[in-house]
Structure formats: C-alpha cells, structure tokens
C-alpha cells in the first residue's frame, strides 16, 4: 500500500477533532433528523457495521443504545473510521489523509467511493468539516 506523508490512522487527536465537528462534545446530541446519536453522531447502520467488524475480531459488541455512552461511542467511532480506512486502502492502494478519513467517516466508504474519493465532489457541509479536521490535524502535529 502506498503511504503518503499526510496519511493517518484514527488516533485520539483525530477523534477529538471529529467529536468537535460532529457535536461540539455533546454526548447527548441528536442529529440528522434523529438518525444520529451521541458525541460522534453515529447512525444505527454504522453502529451495526462496527458491531460486525468487532464480532469478526472477537471484541465486545454493544447495542446501539450505548451510542449515548461517551466512552463506548468513542470506541465505536474509532473502529468505524478504521473500518472505512481499511476499505479505502484496499480499493485505492493508499492511505487517506485526515480530511479524506473524515469524508469516509461522514459519508461511509460507499458514499465517498461514489464520489471517486474526491473531496471536491462531496456535499458542502462534508467539505467544510473535512477542512476543519485537516486544519486541526495540521495544528496538532
């Protein structure tokens, strides 16, 4: 796999940035017309995807009701980002940068793939938040 100088894994710094752009740190946040829960604004379908990923690795699985639990939601947000990252790496043979990893998180692998893994083809709000993630990532290096 090709690795770029800007490639990242979903570490604590990146998760802090995602938490801020998704909910401003509000573990009780509800978004996307009631479809997204918690500090990391995860949808039930994303939560189920992570649960399957965790089952395959013999890791503990939690019900979607735990999206309100900050620590479990953070764990699931990490795993979701990592799962999307792995999917993109398999397809493109390269690591995503901080902004692309956010686009994967926000749109899912399928949503970002449909846009050719091109941030300029993403919805405006995704581009704006990805920009904030990238700026924060550079500042924290």
């Amino acid at each position: 796999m090709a690795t770029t100088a800007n490639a990242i894994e979903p570490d604590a710094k990146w998760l802090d940035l995602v938490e801020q752009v998704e909910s401003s740190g509000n573990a009780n946040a509800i978004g996307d017309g009631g479809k997204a829960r918690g500090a990391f604004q995860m949808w039930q379908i994303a939560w189920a995807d992570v649960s399957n990923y965790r089952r395959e690795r013999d890791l503990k699985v939690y019900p979607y009701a735990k999206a309100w639990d900050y620590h479990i939601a953070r764990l699931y947000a990490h795993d979701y980002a990592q799962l999307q990252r792995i999917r993109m790496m398999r397809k493109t043979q390269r690591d995503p940068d901080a902004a692309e990893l956010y686009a994967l998180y926000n749109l899912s692998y399928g949503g970002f793939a449909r846009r050719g893994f091109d941030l300029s083809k993403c919805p405006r709000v995704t581009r704006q938040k990805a920009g904030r993630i990238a700026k924060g990532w550079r500042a924290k290096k």
Side-chain angles (χ1 to χ4, degrees), residues 5-118:
N6 295 323
I8 68 160
E9 291 190 25
D11 67 1
K13 290 188 284 186
W14 185 85
L15 287 167
D16 290 346
L17 293 165
V18 169
E19 176 186 350
Q20 286 307 303
V21 302
E22 287 295 321
S23 71
S24 299
N26 180 357
N28 297 310
I30 299 171
D32 298 336
K35 294 179 183 177
R37 290 184 180 176
F40 296 91
Q41 291 295 280
M42 290 195 69
W43 284 35
Q44 189 167 14
I45 193 166
W47 195 274
D49 200 16
V50 172
S51 291
N52 289 333
Y53 173 80
R54 293 180 63 79
R55 267 188 215 93
E56 291 168 0
R57 288 154 183 77
D58 293 322
L59 299 171
K60 187 167 180 167
V61 173
Y62 299 92
Y64 186 53
K66 292 291 186 177
W68 304 115
D69 181 305
Y70 176 80
H71 299 289
I72 292 171
R74 188 176 176 95
L75 175 69
Y76 263 61
H78 169 274
D79 289 355
Y80 184 68
Q82 182 68 354
L83 176 57
Q84 304 313 309
R85 176 181 170 260
I86 289 166
R87 289 172 174 161
M88 180 179 161
M89 289 171 57
R90 285 182 183 150
K91 177 69 175 176
T92 66
Q93 300 298 302
R94 69 175 182 83
D95 280 299
D97 63 23
E100 291 170 327
L101 186 58
Y102 176 74
L104 286 162
Y105 182 89
N106 182 254
L107 300 171
S108 80
Y109 167 81
F112 197 34
R114 281 191 298 280
R115 292 164 175 90
F117 303 105
D118 182 345

